[in-house]
Amino acid sequence: MPGSTRSRSSLPPLLGLTRFQRPRRTLADRVRAALLLITAGEGTVLSHEEKCWASITFSGTRHEVVMEFCGPEAVLAGEGLIEQLPDHEFTLPGQLVADATIAKVDHRFGAMERLEVTAVLLLLEEG
């Protein structure tokens, strides 16, 4: 509105948060971000399943993430993920990555080259 003197503080809060709060990143958010970091932001996360588990001595989560890479440059990044994931040093606060594997790969060639990768990470809670 022209000539409006409405201040920022009178705007409705985003998702019920004040301007000093921000949404917390979940562990699932951090896992997806770590995988996207390996691929330099190439690719798209199609799905992410997180399951809790526990034994007498350990507890943690199992993450199954399906990512899609479309086009030659993105496919190269996906191939880099396949190569690097098992030995990658993750930095997830409060978590140890006990195992990181590629469970499935679907590579389609043609006019629009496409690579779909399923990564599985087993995380243990520290402490």
Side-chain angles (χ1 to χ4, degrees):
M1 294 182 348
S4 175
T5 58
R6 187 174 168 175
S7 71
R8 265 181 105 57
S9 62
S10 66
L11 294 174
L14 178 65
L15 300 173
L17 302 176
T18 69
R19 67 183 190 153
F20 299 107
Q21 295 173 317
R22 61 180 179 199
R24 283 184 76 120
R25 290 178 60 194
T26 65
L27 179 57
D29 293 334
R30 293 176 193 275
V31 167
R32 287 189 297 273
L35 292 173
L36 287 169
L37 187 63
I38 295 171
T39 65
E42 295 285 342
T44 304
V45 175
L46 297 179
S47 68
H48 181 171
E49 291 183 23
E50 178 180 5
K51 293 182 182 174
C52 295
W53 66 271
S55 69
I56 293 173
T57 53
F58 298 108
S59 64
T61 53
R62 179 183 183 276
H63 297 260
E64 184 173 300
V65 182
V66 180
M67 297 180 72
E68 175 184 56
F69 302 89
C70 294
E73 289 181 24
V75 168
L76 279 175
E79 290 171 347
L81 174 66
I82 293 167
E83 182 180 319
Q84 296 173 34
L85 184 67
D87 298 320
H88 184 73
E89 292 292 324
F90 288 89
T91 53
L92 300 168
Q95 303 290 316
L96 296 172
V97 178
D99 193 30
T101 60
I102 300 296
K104 182 179 173 186
V105 175
D106 183 11
H107 195 164
R108 297 186 185 169
F109 297 93
M112 182 55 142
E113 187 176 8
R114 179 181 176 275
L115 179 67
E116 188 175 296
V117 177
T118 302
V120 176
L121 286 80
L122 183 62
L123 307 182
L124 302 175
E125 293 176 3
E126 284 186 310

